[in-house]
Amino acid sequence: MNIHEYQAKQVLKGFGAPVAEGVAITKASEAEAAAKQLPGPLYVVKSQIHAGGRGKGKFKELGAEAKGGVRLAKTVEDVVKNANEMLGNTLVTAQTGDAGKQVNRLYIEDGADIARELYLSLLVDRSVGRVAFVVSTEGGMDIEAVAHDTPEKIITVAIDPATGVTDADVAKINAAYGLDGAATADGQTLFPALYKAFTEKDMALLEVNPLIVMTDGHLRVLDAKVSFDGNALFRHDDMKALRDETEEDAKEIEASKWDLAYVALDGNIGCMVNGAGLAMATMDIIKLYGKEPANFCDVGGGASKEKVAAAFKIITADPKVQGILVNIFGGIMKCDVIAEGVVAAVKEVGLQVPLVVRLEGTNVDLGKRILNESGLAITAADDLDDAAQKIVAAIG
Ligand code: ADP
Ligand code: MG
């Protein structure tokens, strides 16, 4: 689950991180009062969407010469003018895709005097099994380009979970940034605070780009992106409350209501599977035969007929889907329940695209009989290879 920048800053502030003062608004009529709460004389009007690259983004409805999704304003009137121009319009950034995202919220923030823009993120580094800081002096710009062109400018500091962030870790990060004076002292509290926020709140990613050194020598978190590990959200009601469903894929929301693991992808074969391993194998074999999966929906073990039907409806609701592959190994999950769910869903929503079903395991004969006797145009497959080849051939 992702949250907005202003929410992420609120969370980090709770752990003691230095952030600017700011006010989030959803109506342009609130802009003047918001700006007047801030010290000035420089303000920043920031689009709140679940995507980065806002500064360099472009509003669809405005001309090419219009400014991006993060704008400096020198007066309260200027804040109001920019808020009017931005709210309700569609911001297209390198991360939104061509469709862009509608800006429904703005964060009016105190402007900072920036001396340097640095990059910092915290993530789970699976290669070492630890939470790691990823730091670079090249903040504020496209970190992917830095990683590609000048990888030596990105430094990773993995943290031992037994000790947390040590003085030696802080010294390494400070040295990587080339910090001195007040910034060094700020780092001593900031880096452990960010680590604490990351681990206590079960974050999957915490990105501060840029972390700035201000002209007064102090550090400040100027942008913040946080995503949480969805599997740990059950123990963070306070973070769950920050969810903004208007930013999320409607199909993923529907899937989460049914406790289905649904992931949208770029291809055109919809996949209904049970278990993450089988999902991976199914996607691999689709690729092996030359096509790409449009999504995968994992119904897990022991799903009900209703849950299977919901999964099927979510998959068919995606206009990208030109064919569906149901690949189930019935262990805990029973093949007849899958078959009943699929038949019920097809009867309700119809079947506009080819459907290939491969069932194996518990009650497989009963499951196959239910499909055969349903009178629906379902292609049965015997094994994984057969199934993938059939669906790939069916969509041509
Ligand atoms: P994004 O990464 O989505 O483009 P950022 O929050 O990083 O959005 O803002 C883009 C740039 O705008 C920053 O790199 C910084 O130069 C400038 N900026 C953002 N917030 C402020 C602020 N409060 N004061 C001064 N400049 C800012
Ligand atoms: Mg940024």
Side-chain angles (χ1 to χ4, degrees):
M1 183 191 84
N2 296 325
I3 57 174
H4 289 293
E5 173 201 359
Y6 77 95
Q7 297 170 320
K9 284 179 171 170
Q10 209 52 45
V11 172
L12 297 180
K13 190 180 172 187
F15 284 86
V19 298
E21 282 180 63
V23 183
I25 62 168
T26 53
K27 296 189 210 70
S29 60
E30 298 163 346
E32 183 176 351
K36 283 184 171 161
Q37 287 179 53
L38 303 176
L42 186 63
Y43 309 89
V44 185
V45 185
K46 309 187 77 173
S47 306
Q48 298 298 294
I49 55 171
H50 284 188
R54 297 162 300 164
K56 288 186 180 160
K58 285 283 166 209
F59 282 99
K60 247 187 188 172
E61 296 83 356
L62 309 178
E65 60 297 334
K67 285 187 273 179
V70 175
R71 300 176 175 190
L72 295 179
K74 294 212 167 88
T75 60
V76 172
E77 294 70 46
D78 210 13
V79 170
V80 175
K81 185 172 156 279
N82 279 299
N84 271 307
E85 207 176 293
M86 294 160 80
L87 270 175
N89 279 332
T90 314
L91 186 60
V92 180
T93 81
Q95 293 182 11
T96 59
D98 293 340
K101 279 188 168 259
Q102 192 179 49
V103 176
N104 300 317
R105 271 164 218 257
L106 295 174
Y107 192 43
I108 316 291
E109 194 178 56
D110 184 32
D113 294 319
I114 305 173
R116 295 178 65 203
E117 299 202 6
L118 310 169
Y119 177 89
L120 180 148
S121 64
L122 272 161
L123 44 78
V124 182
D125 185 342
R126 288 166 206 283
S127 64
V128 290
R130 291 182 174 186
V131 173
F133 283 83
V134 177
V135 306
S136 173
T137 52
E138 310 303 299
M141 42 189 276
D142 192 358
I143 195 67
E144 285 82 9
V146 178
H148 183 263
D149 302 334
T150 47
E152 69 281 2
K153 289 190 171 167
I154 296 180
I155 287 158
T156 304
V157 180
I159 304 302
D160 184 341
T163 59
V165 181
T166 61
D167 289 346
D169 294 326
V170 172
K172 259 190 231 167
I173 300 169
N174 280 342
Y177 286 141
L179 297 183
D180 52 24
T184 315
D186 287 353
Q188 246 136 25
T189 51
L190 175 61
F191 305 134
L194 294 178
Y195 179 81
K196 190 163 190 268
F198 187 96
T199 48
E200 270 185 21
K201 298 297 180 189
D202 289 312
M203 292 176 186
L205 175 73
L206 164 56
E207 184 178 59
V208 179
N209 186 24
L211 168 69
I212 58 162
V213 183
M214 295 189 289
T215 49
D216 68 5
H218 284 283
L219 293 180
R220 181 179 275 180
V221 169
L222 207 69
D223 187 10
K225 177 187 173 170
V226 166
S227 14
F228 297 97
D229 178 350
N231 292 317
L233 272 176
F234 73 93
R235 56 184 185 192
H236 300 292
D237 284 342
D238 51 345
M239 299 298 113
K240 246 189 345 207
L242 301 177
R243 185 165 180 186
D244 180 357
E245 290 199 348
T246 65
E247 289 287 328
E248 294 176 20
D249 183 311
K251 290 182 288 295
E252 290 188 11
I253 294 171
E254 180 65 16
S256 74
K257 279 186 196 145
W258 285 93
D259 203 17
L260 292 160
Y262 171 86
V263 177
L265 300 162
D266 297 327
N268 46 26
I269 297 179
C271 305
M272 185 159 98
V273 295
N274 66 328
L278 192 60
M280 297 303 142
T282 305
M283 292 190 292
D284 280 349
I285 204 156
I286 286 173
K287 286 180 184 229
L288 183 69
Y289 287 108
K291 294 285 178 192
E292 299 281 331
N295 54 49
F296 73 81
C297 194
D298 179 0
V299 296
S304 65
K305 172 182 151 193
E306 289 73 24
K307 187 167 166 176
V308 172
F312 197 82
K313 282 190 237 167
I314 291 165
I315 291 172
T316 50
D318 182 348
K320 284 205 312 288
V321 170
Q322 293 172 10
I324 299 169
L325 174 55
V326 174
N327 186 20
I328 300 289
F329 183 82
I332 303 169
M333 190 72 222
K334 295 189 181 70
C335 293
D336 56 317
V337 175
I338 291 286
E340 278 177 0
V342 169
V343 170
V346 171
K347 283 194 172 144
E348 197 182 324
V349 297
L351 188 61
Q352 269 82 39
V353 296
L355 168 62
V356 173
V357 180
R358 179 256 177 170
L359 296 176
E360 197 52 75
T362 311
N363 295 354
V364 61
D365 294 334
L366 184 55
K368 284 184 174 165
R369 201 164 74 221
I370 291 167
L371 294 177
N372 287 338
E373 291 171 359
S374 68
L376 301 170
I378 298 172
T379 308
D382 295 326
D383 57 36
L384 213 53
D385 264 305
D386 186 38
Q389 282 171 300
K390 277 181 173 153
I391 191 63
V392 166
I395 70 168

